[in-house]
Amino acid sequence: TLSSGQRMPMIGLGTWKSSAGQVKQAVVAALECGYRHIDCAAVYGNEQEIGEALALCVGPGKTLRRDELFVTSKLWNTKHNPEDVEDACRTSLAHLGLSYLDLYLMHWPMAFRGKELMPRRDDGTICYSDMHYRDTWKAMEDLVEKGLVKAIGLSNFNARQMDEIMRVAKHKPVVNQTAYSPLGSGDRPWASPDEPRLLEDPKLVGIAQRYQKSPAQVILWHTQRGMACIPKSVTPSRIQQNLNFDFKLSQEDMKLIDSFTCNRRFIVPTVVRDGKTVWRDAEHPHFPFHDPY
């Protein structure tokens, strides 16, 4: 239960990297097998196809009523200027074929400057803007007032940045989304072939074998800790499998999984500069991961 009083399903279908021609059938398969939470974002570039899937399944005369579904989308970094926020939200709504979003997140605390999703200078670096997320937040609050969104929240913010928002917020953020990519996102664009792959970790595989479950099912232990998570898949059998929680991990196995660490962040975008892999946006004035999380 969110602070807004809304009920958010613990498991949502992630749609990042779900490509054209795949995401529509993935969303339909998810809704048919019981998912009621779909996690979207403008930058994923697939909201129109997700909207086609929702049109097949949700609404008068369809399998689901709109109020049975929880849909999240996110404001992209190039739309942080307050005058751009409402148009960005309305564009996502039009693509999804919805009259409101259950939850709208500021995708990152970092603003970019330009019209392209990833505006770049001649040397390939991102064009950053120093637009402050506090100002963006005020424009997001207007979306609640206008009924375009039920609630607003954050994604990838550190504790200090969240506190700054809380101090000025009329509508408090209901979430800070940080538990995305729970399966490790081995297909993320900046992954290197020598990185450890979460679902192949011998300790995790051993736990899965004891329970006769897949490593993916085991690593979705977040729900047993009372945390929502959003695994992504476009394979119907895996989509259904990820929703199957007919088992419970022992306290010993919970502690074992809790001890997993590679002492690095895998989902923060990286680039190679001067032969060294570095965080792409570490020079942005509002990059969140210099602070302790």
Side-chain angles (χ1 to χ4, degrees):
T1 301
L2 303 177
S3 58
S4 60
Q6 296 162 281
R7 298 278 288 173
M8 183 176 75
M10 293 286 283
I11 290 285
L13 179 73
T15 60
W16 178 39
K17 304 185 290 0
S18 295
S19 59
Q22 291 184 319
V23 71
K24 180 178 178 179
Q25 61 87 19
V27 171
V28 170
L31 295 177
E32 287 179 345
C33 74
Y35 284 74
R36 296 296 180 263
H37 180 181
I38 307 296
D39 183 83
C40 315
V43 74
Y44 301 165
N46 55 15
E47 288 190 323
Q48 283 182 291
E49 193 170 329
I50 293 171
E52 293 173 11
L54 297 180
L56 291 175
C57 303
V58 182
K62 307 294 174 58
T63 307
L64 293 171
R65 301 189 313 272
R66 173 63 183 92
D67 61 5
E68 294 178 293
L69 187 64
F70 193 100
V71 180
T72 299
S73 189
K74 308 178 192 77
L75 178 78
W76 184 235
N77 303 358
T78 54
K79 302 296 184 180
H80 278 213
N81 192 306
E83 66 187 24
D84 294 331
V85 171
E86 183 175 333
D87 283 346
C89 179
R90 287 187 181 277
T91 298
S92 283
L93 287 171
H95 287 168
L96 293 167
L98 301 175
S99 61
Y100 69 89
L101 292 166
D102 298 275
L103 180 61
Y104 197 47
L105 308 179
M106 201 184 313
H107 206 146
W108 288 87
M110 306 174 297
F112 296 168
R113 185 177 65 255
K115 295 187 180 299
E116 302 295 325
L117 287 175
M118 299 298 296
R120 295 183 184 276
R121 302 183 183 90
D122 291 341
D123 63 0
T125 58
I126 305 294
C127 296
Y128 296 139
S129 166
D130 60 3
M131 174 64 63
H132 204 286
Y133 43 82
R134 287 191 304 258
D135 298 317
T136 307
W137 184 258
K138 292 175 184 176
M140 291 187 66
E141 290 181 321
D142 291 339
L143 304 178
V144 181
E145 304 284 348
K146 293 180 178 180
L148 296 174
V149 303
K150 297 288 187 184
I152 48 179
L154 308 171
S155 175
N156 298 301
F157 277 59
N158 64 39
R160 173 182 55 80
Q161 292 169 331
M162 284 190 287
D163 286 344
E164 288 184 38
I165 292 288
M166 293 294 284
R167 282 196 291 269
V168 301
K170 178 172 57 175
H171 294 283
K172 306 293 186 186
V174 298
V175 301
N176 181 33
Q177 187 185 93
T178 58
Y180 54 82
S181 298
L183 305 182
S185 192
D187 61 347
R188 64 197 182 281
W190 54 88
S192 63
D194 60 339
E195 288 177 352
R197 297 179 67 87
L198 175 62
L199 297 183
E200 297 172 5
D201 185 284
K203 298 186 293 294
L204 179 63
V205 171
I207 294 172
Q209 289 173 342
R210 287 202 296 276
Y211 290 87
Q212 297 185 314
K213 299 294 180 182
S214 71
Q217 285 173 294
V218 169
I219 207 60
L220 294 178
W221 70 307
H222 299 294
T223 58
Q224 193 170 324
R225 297 193 296 159
M227 295 179 65
C229 57
I230 46 173
K232 170 257 178 183
S233 179
V234 295
T235 306
S237 60
R238 291 177 180 168
I239 289 171
Q240 184 165 19
Q241 192 179 68
N242 290 341
L243 198 64
N244 182 11
F245 295 104
D246 60 351
F247 68 103
K248 191 173 183 179
L249 295 173
S250 69
Q251 288 301 310
E252 292 75 16
D253 287 332
M254 294 274 282
K255 289 179 181 177
L256 178 57
I257 297 173
D258 199 29
S259 73
F260 290 1
T261 180
C262 294
N263 291 314
R264 59 190 291 191
R265 296 184 182 277
F266 284 102
I267 310 300
V268 182
T270 60
V271 293
V272 177
R273 291 182 184 142
D274 300 324
K276 184 179 179 181
T277 299
V278 296
W279 284 331
R280 186 192 66 200
D281 300 313
E283 296 176 358
H284 194 287
H286 301 311
F287 182 74
F289 300 123
H290 293 313
D291 287 29
Y293 211 69

